[in-house]
Amino acid sequence: VSASPSSDEFPGMWDYDRACLRTGGACATTTVLDLFDYDEALISSLTEEEVIRRINNDSFYVLESGREFSRDDIIGFDGEGNIRAYRGVYVLDEHTVESDGERTDVVGEPWEADGIDLFRGDNSPLETFPQFASSWPEEFGRAIEQDSASLTVAFIIIIVYLFLTLGRRDKVD
């Protein structure tokens, strides 16, 4: 994914290598490709048995930065031990611009929008669930919009109930 921000402070196209958060000189990334050192020639030369051996061998679970990770960090298994999901974590560095009192990540937001579009068009046999930082405000906004109608109806019901219950006069004989 490459994105071009609409800011003069961060000009040009931003691919992941340029936009990523670096730790120890390497991008803070954890994906199944780390098992194969992102080597396309190596990946294409491996047999299915060699791929399975790498997945099951803990010595391959070390990132370029030297940080270790586990199989559960990147692969999801079903109850029978079959691989059903994979997870990739890509961390972007912050490239914010403040305008009118509002901070905007001018590199991350377009990059994430392009990433979401890419994953939605994914033809992988695995189901994909892209989750980006920009998705959180959108999801919370939708949840709040849906809940506001229910909350309004609930308050109306409570007010009517209170009116009917407390509005009765006691008859004093």
Side-chain angles (χ1 to χ4, degrees):
V1 173
S2 291
S4 178
S6 59
S7 169
D8 294 334
E9 290 183 50
F10 302 102
M13 292 299 289
W14 287 74
D15 61 4
Y16 180 70
D17 192 52
R18 185 174 176 200
C20 73
L21 175 67
R22 296 194 175 276
T23 58
C27 288
T29 304
T30 307
T31 74
V32 72
L33 294 175
D34 286 306
L35 297 175
F36 309 100
D37 299 322
Y38 292 84
D39 185 342
E40 191 174 337
L42 171 66
I43 293 169
S44 61
S45 70
L46 294 174
T47 65
E48 187 174 332
E49 290 79 25
E50 291 170 321
V51 170
I52 292 170
R53 184 178 62 77
R54 277 184 176 257
I55 289 171
N56 291 323
N57 187 336
D58 290 339
S59 68
F60 291 105
Y61 287 86
V62 179
L63 298 173
E64 187 179 330
S65 64
R67 185 177 63 84
E68 294 184 9
F69 62 105
S70 73
R71 184 181 359 214
D72 293 335
D73 290 335
I74 59 170
I75 300 172
F77 297 91
D78 65 11
E80 299 170 9
N82 299 313
I83 296 174
R84 289 293 178 215
Y86 64 91
R87 176 179 177 201
V89 177
Y90 299 88
V91 182
L92 298 178
D93 204 352
E94 186 176 32
H95 303 90
T96 57
V97 172
E98 191 165 331
S99 176
D100 298 328
E102 193 171 311
R103 293 170 45 106
T104 305
D105 189 344
V106 294
V107 173
E109 288 180 13
W111 199 91
E112 290 176 359
D114 287 353
I116 290 171
D117 290 342
L118 174 74
F119 282 110
R120 284 191 179 139
D122 186 15
N123 291 323
S124 169
L126 300 173
E127 199 169 351
T128 59
F129 300 96
Q131 179 181 349
F132 292 92
S134 63
S135 300
W136 289 103
E138 292 172 17
E139 288 301 316
F140 281 125
R142 269 184 263 184
I144 289 169
E145 283 177 20
Q146 291 172 350
D147 291 345
S148 64
S150 300
L151 191 59
T152 302
V153 169
F155 275 120
I156 290 171
I157 291 171
I158 290 170
I159 290 169
V160 168
Y161 173 77
L162 288 173
F163 179 74
L164 293 174
T165 305
L166 299 176
R168 289 191 229 157
R169 301 178 129 225
D170 278 342
K171 294 182 182 178
V172 180
D173 292 322

